[in-house]
Every structure is written in structure tokens, then in C-alpha cells.
Amino acid sequence: MAKSRRDTADFYTLKARKEGYPARSVYKLEEIQQGHRIIKSGDTVLDVGAAPGSWTLYTHRELIKGNGTIVAVDLNPLGLNPVPPTVISYTGDAFSKEIREKLVSHGPYDAIISDAAPMTTGNRSVDTSRSEWLAEHVLMLAEEHLKVHGNLVIKIFQGGGEVELLKRMRQLFVKAKPFKPKASRSDSFEIFLVGLDRLASQDV
């Protein structure tokens, strides 16, 4: 049986292994950060859908640089050993009452980032619908617990829902736009929605 491109280690996969990251997704955040300066030293950051931990580790190493806090949450535990000292990790559903209360206790946040994706079925409409649900709930967290001037990054599968989410984000941020990193696989229909500089509530 022929191997798919996803079974083959590409440039970004090999680079991630060399640099000690558990997944190639780290370079998506690197591109977003280089273009938009989402996170700075000293920030309190919420990483939703954090496992295996590449975005969390990159934020620790390169962005907050030991001065700040990263709250990481995923249904699966982080694949980082050791977990960096700046990281508070929760395993569970970020949108459940129990876990959400824990996340809220560490906020409000300077940045909320999410590379969360649903378990895919191969059915495009089902997968995009599940991705849209995840993205909507991350945006709801941001609406409630992101600081004024804070920034947001959400992943969503392209399929129509991103248009409505961007409309909502443009009411919440000075600037909101879609971004497709070069590090995303060529056959992927993921896109990232980037919200910059959250408005004060009276401006929304």
C-alpha cells in the first residue's frame, strides 16, 4: 500500500525533531508570531488544544522567555518531559464546567491561542462542522476572558463558518484576518483566524 504524504517526514517534521519539538505545528505559530506579534515576554497565555505541546513549548522558549505563564489544556496530556516551569497544564475538556472554571481562575489572558482540531471522519461537512464548533467555543472564551489589547489565534477548517467567525472577531478586535501559514500541509484545509488588539467593551 502506497504511503501518503502525511506518512513521510517532510521538511518541517524533520526540523521539529531536530529542534526538540513534538510536532511540526510549531512552525505555524512561529509564522503567525513573526507576522503579528501575538505574544510578548511577561504575558499570560491560554493554549487550547495544546497537546502534544509544540505551541506551548515554543511560547515558553521563544516568546514569554521564562517571564509569564502558559495555561495549557487538552483532552490528552502534554508530551513534554519535563513540562516547563512556566506551564500550568490541565488534561480534560476546556469547555466543561470543571476545567473551564480552572482556566478562568488563571485569567484574564493577554493572548489565547488554539491549534485545536476535532477527530476527523473523512467527511468534509462533518469535519468542518466540528471544527467550527471548537472555534466558536474558543472565541467565546476570548470574549469573556481576554484582556483589552489582547490577541487571539483560532484554527478552523475552511467550509463557510470562518466568514461568520471573522465577522464576530471584527467587532471584538481592532483588526481580524485569516492567515494560512506556509507550514500548513498543502492538502490541509485549515486556516487560522487572527484577532489583534482587543477593544474595550464600550468600543465593541
Side-chain angles (χ1 to χ4, degrees):
M1 187 169 147
K3 282 189 173 183
S4 75
R5 260 187 278 178
R6 290 176 181 265
D7 294 325
T8 306
D10 66 359
F11 167 78
Y12 291 107
T13 301
L14 294 172
K15 187 179 181 189
R17 288 176 188 168
K18 183 178 179 182
E19 296 183 354
Y21 290 102
R24 66 191 299 288
S25 58
V26 59
Y27 304 109
K28 302 172 193 177
L29 180 58
E30 182 180 61
E31 284 182 60
I32 294 167
Q33 174 69 17
Q34 287 171 349
H36 305 293
R37 286 189 54 79
I38 299 295
I39 298 164
K40 63 185 184 303
S41 177
D43 278 356
T44 300
V45 180
L46 174 60
D47 185 355
V48 181
S54 286
W55 280 29
T56 295
L57 185 58
Y58 179 77
T59 301
H60 164 75
R61 283 182 179 175
E62 305 294 337
L63 304 183
I64 68 169
K65 298 180 178 178
N67 181 25
T69 303
I70 308 157
V71 179
V73 59
D74 197 286
L75 292 171
N76 300 304
L78 291 179
L80 304 178
N81 188 16
V83 174
T86 57
V87 175
I88 299 166
S89 176
Y90 293 108
T91 303
D93 182 350
F95 312 118
S96 68
K97 185 174 185 293
E98 178 190 4
I99 298 292
R100 188 184 176 97
E101 285 177 357
K102 292 177 180 178
L103 303 183
V104 169
S105 73
H106 299 290
Y109 295 94
D110 298 288
I112 297 177
I113 57 177
S114 178
D115 190 34
M119 291 289 289
T120 54
T121 64
N123 181 311
R124 178 76 179 259
S125 62
V126 171
D127 294 344
T128 54
S129 177
R130 290 179 178 179
S131 173
E132 184 179 337
W133 185 92
L134 276 174
E136 284 178 350
H137 281 72
V138 175
L139 179 55
M140 285 166 60
L141 274 174
E143 287 170 337
E144 296 169 12
H145 304 294
L146 186 66
K147 293 179 184 177
V148 174
H149 304 305
N151 300 312
L152 173 67
V153 177
I154 306 174
K155 178 160 86 176
I156 188 170
F157 294 163
Q158 292 172 276
E162 70 273 15
V163 175
E164 188 59 38
L165 278 178
L166 267 176
K167 195 181 296 183
R168 282 172 58 186
M169 287 173 66
R170 284 172 178 148
Q171 296 174 342
L172 194 65
F173 296 92
V174 170
K175 186 181 289 187
K177 56 186 178 179
F179 182 77
K180 178 84 169 183
K182 293 175 183 175
S184 289
R185 292 184 186 272
S186 59
D187 62 346
S188 171
F189 52 102
E190 70 182 11
I191 197 167
F192 292 86
L193 307 182
V194 180
L196 302 170
D197 193 3
R198 184 185 176 163
L199 295 162
S201 56
Q202 61 265 30
D203 298 329
V204 173

